[in-house]
Amino acid sequence: MCAGLLTEGSLHLENMPNTLRDINSQIELLTHLGCVVSRDSGDLMGLNAKNISTYTAPYDIVRKMRGSILVLGPLLARFGEAKVSLPGGCAIGTRPVDLHIKALEEMGAEIKLEGGYIDAKAPAGGLRGAKILFPKVSVGATENLLMAATLAKGETVLSNAAREPEIVDLGECLIKMGAKIEGLGTPTIRIEGVSHLNGATHRTLPDRIEAGTYLIAAAMAGGKIKLQNASIDHLAAPVGILRQAGLEIEQDGNDIAVNRNGLRVKGVDIMTEPYPGFPTDLQAQFMAMLTLCEGAGLVTETIFENRFMHVPELNRMGANITVHGHSAIVRGVEKLTGAEVMATDLRASVALVLAALVAEGETTINRIYHLERGYENIVGKLSACGANIKRV
């Protein structure tokens, strides 16, 4: 969606969710900037940023979602200036934007942090191509610099770039808009700047974290389900681990078929890592699965330092989880019991939903606005598979 700011033409995005809070927050921000956003009754979104009226992304919108920082690169590249509030989002640990700022400064930008805002200006003549080495892998910084570099003068090389499928998807969208990009999906991405980008039509990637969540739901509750329009290729690490735990998972055309063979899942260990490793965004769901495993499993979180906030809530339901620093030992129990619990972030909230599916009795999950940031119609989807779930 932020890539739409890079062109006067219209960007049409297919396969877009309709009710996610994060999508609505991004629409609110883009509309505030002057972008015209249109939706149809299906999955098509149109964006036109021909007449941008302000280069300021205000706190009251940006605080709702961390992804709002991604307007910084496009605004700076196309208009030469941007003023973006420091972002909010889930409280899962420190996620500083210094990588974004330092890299844009290497492209010639002058950036000040004042009053909670990133105030950035490009040099006369626009951003310049640069060789940028990210000190650590960052999806957001890679995306911001990938977009900014498309309109910079000369070549930009992003080293230690993120390799996630979402990065590749964004790059392919930018190429359709006229960008010159090589190396997508590798740690080194080369971008040759162009004078302008045009409009395009692009079908967005299916959400691999949503797909992985439903794979884990099947692992916990049993049964056989089919995930339409999903790819095992994007989920190699979690699928491999789930197969070790005892799940049958196969690609069936454009769909993923998953079946738990009736046996209890086996305890297995995971360590979160940047793609293609095990995704941090599936860690909480995987931990919920391990609560009922045969034996025990070790979960090690290497991405965010505050991403075990779901542990006390799962333990309230009868789980046996002990945290030691960045690792948690999960010893399988015979059953979970329904309880009143609180969602603390997006992935923690869905982990509690999964635990509630298999707990004896009724579970009430509070603060589900986190859940609605990233899961569209989860009540309808799980109900269609036989779950007894309702939004109150």
Side-chain angles (χ1 to χ4, degrees):
M1 291 171 68
C2 293
L5 293 170
L6 290 164
T7 176
E8 289 190 0
S10 293
L11 178 62
H12 298 283
L13 299 175
E14 300 171 340
N15 196 34
M16 293 291 285
N18 270 307
T19 61
L20 293 187
R21 281 177 180 254
D22 277 6
I23 294 289
N24 293 335
S25 294
Q26 198 72 304
I27 290 173
E28 183 183 1
L29 176 56
L30 292 173
T31 302
H32 170 84
L33 296 173
C35 186
V36 177
V37 183
S38 58
R39 307 292 314 258
D40 70 357
S41 57
D43 64 359
L44 182 66
M45 176 185 291
L47 303 116
N48 186 281
K50 183 177 182 179
N51 299 310
I52 293 299
S53 54
T54 178
Y55 310 133
T56 299
Y59 169 76
D60 62 335
I61 303 177
V62 174
R63 68 180 175 82
K64 301 175 187 175
M65 186 184 62
R66 189 159 189 81
S68 304
I69 190 70
L70 295 180
V71 301
L72 177 61
L75 286 175
L76 194 55
R78 182 172 161 210
F79 301 105
E81 60 180 292
K83 187 175 180 180
V84 180
S85 171
L86 291 165
C90 289
I92 56 177
T94 56
R95 292 182 286 175
V97 294
D98 56 325
L99 298 183
H100 305 241
I101 293 170
K102 184 174 182 295
L104 288 168
E105 285 176 335
E106 289 182 45
M107 298 181 73
E110 290 186 11
I111 299 179
K112 299 176 184 175
L113 296 181
E114 294 179 333
Y117 279 79
I118 303 165
D119 196 343
K121 287 184 170 54
L127 293 175
R128 301 185 296 266
K131 287 183 168 58
I132 295 166
L133 172 62
F134 293 115
K136 63 179 180 180
V137 177
S138 168
V139 171
T142 301
E143 290 170 335
N144 233 339
L145 272 295
L146 180 61
M147 289 188 286
T150 60
L151 295 178
K153 303 291 188 297
E155 184 184 64
T156 300
V157 180
L158 305 180
S159 299
N160 199 28
R163 299 159 58 188
E164 273 75 0
E166 293 78 20
I167 300 287
V168 177
D169 196 43
L170 172 61
E172 290 175 348
C173 177
L174 292 169
I175 289 169
K176 289 178 184 175
M177 295 168 69
K180 296 180 179 179
I181 302 170
E182 296 179 350
L184 293 169
T186 77
T188 303
I189 303 175
R190 296 178 181 275
I191 309 103
E192 183 67 37
V194 295
S195 60
H196 70 281
L197 294 179
N198 47 261
T201 298
H202 181 72
R203 185 169 183 82
T204 63
L205 198 67
D207 187 336
R208 65 192 167 96
I209 303 301
E210 184 185 19
T213 299
Y214 290 124
L215 290 177
I216 294 170
M220 295 179 70
K224 185 175 184 178
I225 63 173
K226 184 171 284 189
L227 305 180
Q228 294 181 320
N229 188 30
S231 172
I232 286 178
D233 290 344
H234 299 155
L235 289 161
V239 164
I241 296 284
L242 287 169
R243 284 172 173 162
Q244 286 180 38
L247 244 66
E248 297 170 2
I249 305 173
E250 301 297 337
Q251 190 75 46
D252 183 5
N254 292 326
D255 307 331
I256 299 176
V258 55
N259 180 34
R260 199 187 86 191
N261 55 19
L263 300 175
R264 192 174 176 183
V265 296
K266 302 184 187 76
V268 284
D269 301 340
I270 63 161
M271 177 183 290
T272 63
E273 296 175 302
Y275 190 87
F278 192 96
T280 180
D281 281 340
L282 283 175
Q283 177 257 104
Q285 302 91 304
F286 194 83
M287 190 182 290
M289 182 192 82
L290 287 177
T291 61
L292 295 175
C293 73
E294 181 183 326
L298 180 67
V299 176
T300 303
E301 174 62 58
T302 71
I303 309 295
F304 296 120
E305 74 276 9
N306 198 22
R307 206 161 199 179
F308 284 155
M309 290 189 290
H310 45 281
V311 170
E313 303 304 302
L314 289 171
N315 283 343
R316 280 174 57 79
M317 300 175 70
N320 183 354
I321 307 171
T322 307
V323 175
H324 299 278
H326 293 295
S327 296
I329 299 171
V330 188
R331 296 177 177 89
V333 297
E334 290 299 319
K335 68 174 184 177
L336 297 176
T337 305
E340 186 154 343
V341 293
M342 181 177 69
T344 53
D345 61 71
L346 170 56
R347 306 306 173 185
S349 61
V350 81
L352 297 175
V353 171
L354 300 184
L357 288 177
V358 294
E360 288 188 5
E362 184 176 275
T363 299
T364 301
I365 303 168
N366 297 294
R367 292 177 63 183
I368 61 163
Y369 60 84
H370 288 295
L371 184 70
E372 293 172 339
R373 286 185 50 218
Y375 289 91
E376 183 166 54
N377 191 26
I378 190 169
V379 170
K381 290 175 180 178
L382 289 174
S383 295
C385 297
N388 183 357
I389 178 174
K390 63 180 178 181
R391 189 187 190 286
V392 181

